Amino acid sequence: MKEVSAAEITAKVAELCIRACTVLPPDVVAAMESARDLEESALGREVLSRLLENARLAADESIPMCQDTGLAVVFVEMGEDVRVNDGHLRDAIAEGVREGYERGYLRKSVVHSPLNRCNTGDNTPPVICTEIVPGETLKITVAAKGAGSENMSRLKMMAPADGEAAVKQFVRETVERAGASACPPVVVGVGLGGSFEQCALIAKKALLRPLHDSGPHPEAAKLEAELLDAINSTGIGPMGVGGRITALAVKVETAPCHIASMPVAVNLQCHAARHAEHTWE
Ligand code: SF4
């Protein structure tokens, strides 16, 4: 049985919040650099250069790369043989978010209720998605999800007869409707299958995959390549100024679903594709 203290989890989550908001993961930086080299529009290239410069300054000076430091979405993979000592996992994570957003001077962006709109003042509660896995490992990933791209995300319960062409159309249309509002170049997380809620969750999880990998099986990999081509033909370009690179990557995750269903979720992630993780082994 592996034991991890609640205090240790809090300290690490605080650090992950700060790191996620200030340091862009290396695969995202690499994708932005190759996007800048591939971009055909001069203005688009200029925008990508500025975004890269912004990311470099944020990392060097430990300041947020964007004023919207997001809702903290925390993914937990908890081994069946892991025990949290001296506290509860959810409380420890929430305290880590509270500390991280305070210490890192990160904007507090959470309201108590969608109706009263009163700020909670400490960026809690986080959204926590927990998965129980075999073994003695605890992995925590913090994703700071800004509202610009999140607001442009969509889910549709399609009929199986609609087919793959309709799925592609829905994904492309979602990116087109988002335009500059999602702060492109975007990463497009697509969930295909599952139930209503599972579909949205796998679309969000897809955003955590390394940008250079390809789908978990050949069908998904093919769909990812075709969707990326389709999206990069829209001409929206970096920050909507026009150009070739509207998306850095498309990530498709699938799940078994009901014979009469075909849910499709598109979770858009802006160029500030922020996440940081830690594993206790
Ligand atoms: S969508 Fe992303 S880049 Fe745009 S304002 Fe929000 S967090 Fe910042």
Side-chain angles (χ1 to χ4, degrees), residues 51 54 65-70 107 144-151 180-184 186 239 268-274:
L51 294 178
N54 179 66
M65 66 191 79
C66 181
Q67 43 75 35
D68 181 354
T69 50
R107 194 183 80 184
K145 196 69 176 71
S149 51
E150 191 77 351
N151 286 351
S181 301
C183 295
V186 289
M239 294 304 280
L268 295 181
Q269 169 63 60
C270 61
H271 63 81
R274 301 164 293 190

Side-chain angles (χ1 to χ4, degrees), residues 25 29 48 53 89 101 124 141 144 152 155 178 181 205 210 260 274 279:
V29 173
L48 287 163
E53 175 70 357
L89 177 67
Y101 273 72
T124 69
T141 305
M152 306 314 291
L155 185 145
S181 301
K205 275 190 172 172
R274 301 164 293 190
T279 304

Side-chain angles (χ1 to χ4, degrees), residues 16-266:
L16 293 177
C17 290
I18 297 171
R19 190 177 353 134
C21 288
T22 56
V23 183
L24 211 47
D27 60 316
V28 181
V29 173
M32 297 257 279
E33 285 170 346
S34 53
R36 179 195 52 199
D37 299 340
L38 287 171
E39 179 53 66
E40 293 153 10
S41 136
L43 191 51
R45 276 198 304 278
E46 177 63 22
V47 168
L48 287 163
S49 299
R50 298 276 180 106
L51 294 178
L52 280 161
E53 175 70 357
N54 179 66
R56 188 189 62 74
L57 282 168
D60 286 355
E61 300 189 18
S62 200
I63 50 175
M65 66 191 79
C66 181
Q67 43 75 35
D68 181 354
T69 50
L71 173 66
V73 183
V74 182
F75 292 92
V76 179
E77 279 178 31
M78 183 147 186
E80 286 165 332
D81 299 320
V82 176
R83 177 191 156 88
V84 176
N85 282 337
D86 305 323
H88 298 289
L89 177 67
R90 297 186 79 82
D91 295 345
I93 291 172
E95 185 55 29
V97 170
R98 193 173 289 120
E99 281 183 25
Y101 273 72
E102 187 61 27
R103 182 149 48 89
Y105 300 103
L106 309 176
R107 194 183 80 184
K108 321 298 188 299
S109 306
V110 177
V111 294
H112 278 285
S113 143
L115 297 177
N116 73 23
R117 311 305 300 180
C118 280
N119 199 304
T120 62
D122 57 10
N123 221 53
T124 69
V127 174
I128 303 176
C129 310
T130 308
E131 192 181 346
I132 304 296
V133 297
E136 289 195 339
T137 298
L138 172 64
K139 179 177 175 187
I140 295 185
T141 305
V142 174
K145 196 69 176 71
S149 51
E150 191 77 351
N151 286 351
M152 306 314 291
S153 302
R154 293 200 298 165
L155 185 145
K156 186 170 183 180
M157 300 303 286
M158 288 189 178
D162 291 336
E164 194 176 317
V167 171
K168 286 187 194 161
Q169 172 60 24
F170 181 69
V171 176
R172 182 187 154 125
E173 188 188 284
T174 301
V175 176
E176 281 183 310
R177 282 167 50 136
S181 301
C183 295
V186 289
V187 179
V188 184
V190 179
L192 194 50
S195 55
F196 182 87
E197 76 288 358
Q198 186 189 13
C199 187
L201 184 59
I202 60 176
K204 178 151 266 111
K205 275 190 172 172
L207 298 174
L208 301 178
R209 278 177 35 205
L211 294 195
H212 45 72
D213 78 352
S214 57
H217 50 78
E219 275 177 344
K222 180 169 168 283
L223 190 54
E224 287 176 355
E226 290 170 355
L227 283 169
L228 185 60
D229 271 356
I231 290 166
N232 283 340
S233 312
T234 57
I236 296 167
M239 294 304 280
V241 299
R244 159 67 56 185
I245 310 293
T246 301
L248 297 173
V250 178
K251 301 290 172 192
V252 176
E253 290 290 320
T254 61
C257 62
H258 192 285
I259 50 171
S261 297
M262 190 164 70
V264 186
V266 184

